[in-house]
Amino acid sequence: MPVNNLIIGSPAKALRELNAQELEWKKQGFASIRWNRSVRQSRVEHA
């Protein structure tokens, strides 16, 4: 699949290229997911 594209469906299809604002939103979302995972892991290790 092409990089930086909106992928939808089953089977997956590239619908369109993401714009700069959408790419920034995506990066922030992934950062949030990584932070949440690290917090959960820390809680497990200290339990």
Side-chain angles (χ1 to χ4, degrees), residues 1-8 11-15:
M1 287 291 155
V3 178
N4 296 333
N5 275 254
L6 177 62
I7 309 298
I8 294 183
K13 294 180 184 178
L15 187 61

Side-chain angles (χ1 to χ4, degrees), residues 11-40:
K13 294 180 184 178
L15 187 61
R16 64 176 175 80
E17 190 170 347
L18 298 174
N19 64 38
Q21 183 180 9
E22 292 166 328
L23 289 170
E24 186 58 35
W25 173 80
K26 182 179 169 186
K27 289 176 190 175
Q28 290 173 1
F30 285 133
S32 175
I33 290 169
R34 284 192 299 266
W35 182 83
N36 286 331
R37 285 182 182 162
S38 68
V39 168
R40 281 194 303 249

